[in-house]
């Protein structure tokens, strides 16, 4: 079958699907697809980039490859675990959030072939592209910690995790069922999406136990593989002071390596000491575990696209691939040296959108990403700290007051304002972060 015949067949299918009111494409397209822009991934980055270009390029010009039926606003899972939001509020059908003028191929990427400007999907479809944006997020590995998956499936194990929609609601149940003993909160020895989330649920648990009159019977421990509570000193200092006031123990450079659900024991290792002298066994009543994470497996199979850990190798300012000039990357799957958050994605897609548009016109990319990321740290049931920072781990705050102080406004932003910005701004291609607002509020001086 010739390429022109493939195109005619695709157009015929689009007409039929349009008459039937269907706006997605089955994964069973084996004869091949060609497009101007291919977006790999339908998460925050992929969806928002597709939204910026789909109306300009049309269905045959912009193709999104994404296997999931549901799109989740993952930062909300902290609030689900804290009983402040429902899981349903974090979810939308994928068909409703991807741009209507893009073609959605409900499939996953099996192979990248950057030298040939094409990918192959899991169902065998070949997709050729002129330009590609990779936005595949991170892979989570619950199986990497022995006993974790088993414990998560046991209703009364006391083990929970806000890093999966299947388990986020269990977190609140664990807090409500807590009676006395150790409540442990872990941070793995790996890259992590939304790196503040592991400690947010610790603070919410503290607040909920106080509300229920059970805090005196609880020993809260935040156990992290990192060498500080937070990467930005200003916020780390504030959080450490708060933990001291609330009697939350901070354990640094320690990694969860096993859970024993039958005996309710957790095994940790000090990552600075040789095994096995570094092992400690801690009993628990409740344990919130964050699974180790890594670059997507499909990227690891394509070393010409990635760094040594499998993350997409892109220029940290232009977001363009360092070798393949028609490829860009956004979000957690890239090797950008900044925190992996939805807030970072919002600024990245603005920069990427401008640079991709320029490259499509045979111009050089000139827009630069400064590493902006943000972590709205919920510290109680009605207060929060709004951490914003750049590549140099220096505060880059949007408001003309000290955001390191616990405030109701920071909590309100996290709970109500940011979800609206996400659904109605970022995913529609309209929200490129707070840069303009910051400039206005700081009278042009920041």
């Amino acid at each position: 079958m010739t390429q022109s015949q493939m195109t005619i067949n695709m157009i015929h299918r689009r007409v039929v699907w349009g008459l039937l009111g269907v706006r997605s494409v089955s994964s069973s397209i084996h004869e091949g697809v060609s497009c101007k822009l291919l977006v790999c991934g339908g998460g925050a980055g992929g969806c928002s980039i597709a939204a910026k270009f789909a109306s300009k390029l049309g269905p045959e010009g912009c193709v999104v490859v994404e296997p999931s039926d549901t799109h989740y606003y993952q930062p909300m899972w902290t609030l689900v675990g804290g009983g402040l939001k429902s899981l349903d509020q974090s979810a939308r059908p994928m068909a409703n959030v991807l741009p209507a003028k893009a073609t959605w191929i409900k499939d996953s990427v099996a192979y990248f072939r950057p030298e040939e400007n094409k990918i192959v999907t899991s169902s065998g479809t070949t997709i050729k592209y002129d330009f590609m944006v990779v936005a595949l997020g991170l892979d989570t590995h619950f199986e990497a910690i022995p006993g974790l998956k088993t414990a998560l499936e046991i209703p009364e194990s006391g083990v929970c995790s806000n890093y999966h929609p299947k388990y986020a609601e269990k977190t609140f149940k664990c807090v409500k069922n807590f009676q006395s003993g150790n409540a442990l909160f872990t941070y793995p020895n790996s890259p992590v999406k939304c790196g503040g989330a592991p400690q947010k649920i610790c603070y919410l648990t503290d607040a909920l136990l106080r509300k229920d009159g059970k805090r005196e019977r609880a020993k809260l421990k935040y156990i992290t593989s990192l060498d500080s509570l937070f990467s930005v000193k200003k916020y780390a200092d504030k959080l450490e002071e708060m933990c001291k006031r609330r009697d939350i123990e901070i354990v640094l450079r320690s990694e969860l390596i096993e859970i024993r659900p039958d005996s309710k024991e957790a095994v940790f290792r000090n990552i600075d000491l040789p095994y096995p002298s570094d092992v400690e066994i801690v009993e628990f009543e409740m344990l919130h575990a964050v699974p180790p994470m890594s670059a997507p497996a499909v990227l690891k199979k394509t070393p010409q696209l990635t760094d040594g850990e499998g993350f997409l190798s892109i220029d940290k300012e232009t977001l363009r691939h360092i070798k393949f000039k028609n490829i860009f990357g956004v979000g957690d799957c890239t090797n950008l040296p900044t925190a992996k958050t939805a807030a970072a994605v919002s600024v990245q897609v603005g920069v990427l959108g401008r640079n991709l548009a320029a490259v499509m016109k045979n111009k050089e990319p000139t827009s630069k990403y400064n590493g902006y990321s943000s972590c709205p740290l919920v510290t109680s049931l009605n207060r929060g700290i709004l951490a914003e920072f750049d590549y140099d781990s220096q505060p880059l705050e949007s408001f003309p007051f000290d955001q390191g102080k616990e405030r109701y406004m920071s909590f309100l932003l996290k709970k109500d304002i940011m979800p609206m910005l996400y659904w109605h701004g970022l995913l529609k291609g309209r929200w490129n972060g707070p840069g303009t607002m910051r400039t206005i509020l700081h009278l042009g001086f920041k």
Side-chain angles (χ1 to χ4, degrees), residues 151 157-159 178 180-184 258-261 263-266 282-287:
S157 68
V159 177
F178 183 92
S180 65
N182 288 328
L184 311 180
E258 183 184 355
I259 293 176
R260 300 169 181 172
S263 58
K264 285 199 167 184
E265 293 177 324
V282 183
E283 294 182 347
F284 64 85
E285 173 71 11
M286 173 185 170
L287 189 154

Side-chain angles (χ1 to χ4, degrees), residues 7 67 75-76 110 208 215 301 311 330 344 362 367 372 423 445:
T7 303
M76 190 178 285
L208 288 167
R215 183 61 179 88
K301 296 189 299 185
F311 290 96
V330 64
N362 294 317
S367 187
Y372 172 86
W423 295 119
F445 291 104

Side-chain angles (χ1 to χ4, degrees), residues 210-346:
R210 292 180 189 278
K211 181 181 177 182
D212 292 344
K214 296 187 287 188
R215 183 61 179 88
E216 291 184 355
R217 305 198 299 270
K219 177 61 178 178
L220 270 62
K221 294 186 179 184
Y222 180 71
I223 305 172
T224 174
S225 65
L226 303 178
D227 54 11
S228 66
L229 190 56
F230 201 81
S231 60
V232 181
K233 187 177 186 304
K234 170 181 177 175
Y235 306 121
D237 290 345
K238 297 286 187 179
L239 292 166
E240 287 171 6
E241 293 172 7
M242 185 188 73
C243 287
K244 187 175 182 179
R245 291 195 309 269
R246 298 183 185 178
D247 192 27
I248 298 173
E249 182 181 351
I250 303 169
V251 181
L252 305 177
R253 305 294 290 167
S254 186
E255 175 189 14
L256 176 67
I257 59 172
E258 183 184 355
I259 293 176
R260 300 169 181 172
D262 292 340
S263 58
K264 285 199 167 184
E265 293 177 324
V267 183
F268 295 89
R269 63 174 291 263
N270 185 320
I271 60 180
D272 294 324
L273 296 176
Y275 185 86
S277 62
D278 55 345
V279 170
E280 179 185 8
I281 299 173
V282 183
E283 294 182 347
F284 64 85
E285 173 71 11
M286 173 185 170
L287 189 154
H288 178 272
V290 179
M293 302 176 203
S294 72
V298 65
L299 276 177
K300 290 181 178 181
K301 296 189 299 185
T302 320
Q304 62 269 42
L305 283 178
T306 62
D307 64 10
E309 295 184 350
F311 290 96
L312 190 74
S313 296
I314 59 175
D315 182 274
K316 74 173 192 176
E317 292 185 334
T318 65
L319 312 185
R320 192 184 196 182
H321 195 269
I322 59 174
K323 178 180 178 182
F324 299 97
K325 301 306 181 182
N326 61 337
I327 297 176
F328 288 77
V330 64
D332 298 351
C333 69
T334 69
N335 66 346
L336 296 176
T338 192
K340 298 179 183 297
T341 68
V345 168
S346 70

Side-chain angles (χ1 to χ4, degrees), residues 17-18 21-25 93-104:
W17 289 326
V22 179
R23 56 173 299 268
S24 65
V25 182
M94 188 65 69
N96 291 355
V97 299
L98 291 176
K101 294 185 178 180
T103 293
W104 172 27

